[in-house]
Amino acid sequence: MTSPSEASFDIAVAGAGIFGLSIAHRAIKRGLRTVVLEAAYVGAGSSGGVLGALMPHMPARWNPKKEFQFQALRSLEGHIRQLEEETGLSCGYARCGRILPLTTQDKLDHHLERAEESKLRWHPQETGFTYEVEPVGRRSDWLEASAAPFGIVYETLAARTSPRGYLAALAAFVRRHATLMENTEVVDFDEASSTVRFADGETLTSRTLVLAGGFSAFGLIERFTGERIGRGEKGQALLMDGQGLEDKPAIYCDGLYVVPHENGTIAIGSTSDREFTDAATSPARSAELAERATRFCPQLAGRKVLSDWAGIRPRCHKRDPLVGRLPGSRSLYAATGGYKISFGIAHLVADSLIAGIMQESPRQELPQTFDPKHHFGENRLDSDGF
């Protein structure tokens, strides 16, 4: 058998998080010889978290990014079901819905307007996705009634998945049909010779390289372009015992999500810290999360905290993800900066990126704000127009 260092690939993907593995999955489907190169292990970055909340943008002030995410959430279930059939692994997906408490008259009035706009944006007659304001006291078997003195919003587009289960299924598919190399850190790419270089000095040959390593990708992108276009934000979340609560909707209250999962756990999170010293969990922060969540969700009282998690999420300075060919390059691409929406959009990001590499039209056009032209210096092109 030919070793990866002796093989030649059509596409190398640096990073085995949700963007990287989704891109590899799509590349394999399109018949490209594919290798995934991960500096540590699958899900080592922020994709390896526990929350799994697939939450839509509000149906107000509609724009191309919200439309892209809507179409992604709409098509995700079919994508995941096919992946589960291909691998025999569960991704823990369910269209669980979401509760949002209304705490003031202004919020009630505001969400009544959003409910009307959802009829235009979410196409409920066609999709079945609804966004409705319900009266005080509804669903108080799950959300503490006092947390919603002006009623609640209940919407049915929201879903959840197991982040680690989804990654495991994608990784299994990649291992079965291509090459996945862990503990392999990419440090350089020579386009002229199509040579990808690793931290240990080893190399392999690939016609195209995609930087999809989450927060760590920003450093490589800066090396190749001279611009730092993103930063990391630390998030922390935890898992509690959720036996008997598996079919409850997600709740977003007091800045936190409570997300029941099919395996009998409840995910709670997450925090968002721009300033941090490391990616380690804080016991005090975990205790704070559990206490805050229990205040608006009394059924969590007395339940055991099973584990906690912390990681550094990638966030572009211009907020939206970066997806596409880097300025000044012909065969170097990037996909990072998904921040909190990565799991919901990764399959369509992958489709668009691979379509671009193959000079084809994607199923869903990326918003212009995802394009590298939006993130880098204005009109930063080389003499050949790249």
Side-chain angles (χ1 to χ4, degrees):
M1 179 181 294
T2 303
S3 71
S5 62
E6 297 171 334
S8 178
F9 297 95
D10 295 316
I11 182 169
V13 182
I18 188 60
F19 272 11
L21 290 174
S22 295
I23 290 164
H25 177 265
R26 185 61 182 163
I28 293 165
K29 290 275 193 172
R30 295 308 316 277
L32 300 179
R33 293 166 297 171
T34 303
V35 60
V36 176
L37 310 166
E38 166 55 47
Y41 53 88
V42 170
S46 58
S47 292
V50 298
L51 193 61
L54 304 172
M55 303 295 140
H57 291 296
M58 293 293 105
R61 298 186 297 278
W62 207 245
N63 58 37
K65 179 175 74 171
K66 291 188 176 185
E67 177 65 20
F68 182 83
Q69 194 214 29
F70 174 77
Q71 296 299 337
L73 292 176
R74 183 178 178 181
S75 61
L76 180 58
E77 181 171 6
H79 169 76
I80 283 181
R81 298 307 180 208
Q82 182 177 4
L83 177 64
E84 290 176 329
E85 289 181 8
E86 292 166 342
T87 62
L89 299 175
S90 171
C91 298
Y93 178 90
R95 185 80 65 183
C96 60
R98 173 175 57 167
I99 297 171
L100 300 96
L102 302 175
T103 55
T104 66
Q105 183 65 48
D106 284 347
K107 286 185 177 180
L108 171 59
D109 295 340
H110 184 57
H111 283 279
L112 285 169
E113 293 179 3
R114 285 179 170 177
E116 284 302 308
E117 187 161 359
S118 73
K119 297 174 184 177
L120 173 65
R121 303 303 183 184
W122 287 11
H123 315 289
Q125 298 282 348
E126 174 190 349
T127 65
F129 302 142
T130 58
Y131 185 102
E132 297 179 345
V133 174
E134 297 185 352
V136 175
R138 289 295 301 275
R139 306 182 194 273
S140 57
D141 62 327
W142 181 220
L143 174 73
E144 168 62 41
S146 63
F150 288 82
I152 65 168
V153 170
Y154 179 67
E155 56 91 356
T156 61
L157 175 55
R160 48 92 166 147
T161 192
S162 163
R164 295 169 184 178
Y166 191 0
L167 288 184
L170 286 168
F173 182 91
V174 172
R175 288 189 175 103
R176 187 174 302 168
H177 299 284
T179 303
L180 197 163
M181 300 169 61
E182 296 176 290
N183 300 306
T184 305
E185 182 183 359
V186 173
V187 296
D188 200 6
F189 180 53
D190 181 68
E191 288 189 279
S193 63
S194 299
T195 301
V196 181
R197 183 166 287 104
F198 310 141
D200 63 5
E202 294 293 321
T203 63
L204 61 72
T205 300
S206 178
R207 183 163 51 87
T208 301
L209 175 64
V210 180
L211 305 178
F215 164 65
S216 65
F218 291 136
L220 274 174
I221 291 168
E222 183 177 15
R223 174 173 182 172
F224 290 116
T225 66
E227 294 188 44
R228 186 79 175 188
I229 55 90
R231 64 179 186 275
E233 291 195 10
K234 182 178 178 180
Q236 184 159 330
L238 58 84
L239 286 177
M240 293 183 72
D241 168 43
Q243 293 293 326
L245 303 174
E246 295 87 351
D247 295 329
K248 296 290 188 182
I251 297 175
Y252 182 70
C253 181
D254 193 25
L256 290 182
Y257 274 109
V258 171
V259 183
H261 285 276
E262 70 175 12
N263 64 352
T265 63
I266 296 278
I268 299 171
S270 60
T271 61
S272 187
D273 298 321
R274 292 190 178 188
E275 303 296 329
F276 53 89
T277 56
D278 56 46
T281 58
S282 161
R285 204 68 183 273
S286 291
E288 174 197 347
L289 289 175
E291 190 275 330
R292 286 171 58 196
T294 302
R295 279 203 302 266
F296 61 79
C297 194
Q299 289 201 48
L300 299 180
R303 291 177 179 263
K304 183 179 179 181
V305 174
L306 303 175
S307 64
D308 56 11
W309 170 90
I312 311 302
R313 294 190 293 255
R315 185 166 190 171
C316 293
H317 295 325
K318 293 191 175 179
R319 298 178 63 87
D320 292 353
L322 165 69
V323 182
R325 183 164 47 81
L326 293 181
S329 299
R330 294 170 177 80
S331 52
L332 180 59
Y333 292 74
T336 188
Y339 193 48
K340 295 182 179 181
I341 63 172
S342 297
F343 275 84
I345 66 172
H347 65 299
L348 281 194
V349 164
D351 177 78
S352 295
L353 187 73
I354 296 302
I357 290 171
M358 300 183 76
Q359 298 183 337
E360 298 175 353
S361 297
R363 285 177 290 173
Q364 185 75 30
E365 291 287 345
L366 288 172
Q368 290 184 356
T369 52
F370 288 21
D371 192 279
K373 293 185 182 69
H374 175 74
H375 291 274
F376 289 90
E378 186 176 1
N379 299 321
R380 189 169 179 269
L381 304 176
D382 65 19
S383 59
D384 293 323
F386 290 96

